[in-house]
Amino acid sequence: PALGVHPWYLGDILSNTTTITNGTDPPENATDAVDIKKYLNWEWLDTLETHLAQHPHLLVGEIGLCKMAKFVREFPSEKGGKTTALQLQKRVFRKQLELAAKWSRPVSVHCVNMHGSFMGVLRDVLSDA
């Protein structure tokens, strides 16, 4: 079995508020153009880590990047539209990869029309390890 946030379902972890006051709130990289902290509720990341700790054979997946996801196509323009949606996807994907590395777990990846971004995130995670 595997657990993770698929890029099609990022809408399920959107915050209803503009600031997150609980859960894991990861720091922004200086290169990020979007303040994603105001869009995502990061409690799911703590929950995923708890499950990984409790279940030693659990994989992380299916996670990834997808330009074709409805979430990307329909992300509100007043919140940054497609550009912001893709930044959110990259951040969520990276956080899940980092957890998989931390717990030495295999990953199942979904990647559609985002291979360059996928390799960039993978390089960043590997260089930070």
Side-chain angles (χ1 to χ4, degrees):
L3 288 177
V5 178
H6 191 282
W8 290 2
Y9 301 109
L10 262 61
D12 293 348
I13 60 170
L14 285 178
S15 173
N16 291 327
T17 63
T18 57
T19 57
I20 304 300
T21 57
N22 53 12
T24 303
D25 195 14
E28 292 299 305
N29 287 342
T31 58
D32 281 355
V34 176
D35 180 14
I36 63 150
K37 292 185 281 188
K38 64 183 176 182
Y39 295 124
L40 296 176
N41 181 334
W42 291 92
E43 291 178 25
W44 64 270
L45 193 61
D46 294 332
T47 302
L48 178 57
E49 185 162 24
T50 298
H51 288 301
L52 290 171
Q54 294 172 344
H55 304 282
H57 301 291
L58 193 64
L59 283 70
V60 177
E62 177 174 340
I63 64 174
L65 302 170
C66 182
K67 272 191 180 175
M68 306 308 292
K70 183 178 179 182
F71 174 81
V72 172
R73 294 188 321 265
E74 297 182 0
F75 199 76
S77 60
E78 65 272 9
K79 292 184 177 182
K82 185 175 182 177
T83 301
T84 299
L86 292 172
Q87 288 290 335
L88 294 169
Q89 266 193 8
K90 284 171 60 175
R91 175 60 64 158
V92 169
F93 178 54
R94 179 188 174 108
K95 288 297 169 188
Q96 291 178 102
L97 280 178
E98 290 171 347
L99 267 186
K102 177 180 178 180
W103 291 94
S104 300
R105 301 301 171 84
V107 176
S108 171
V109 176
H110 172 100
C111 184
V112 176
N113 296 333
M114 296 283 294
H115 298 95
S117 294
F118 167 77
M119 293 305 294
V121 172
L122 191 57
R123 272 191 299 273
D124 289 347
V125 170
L126 290 174
S127 70
D128 291 346

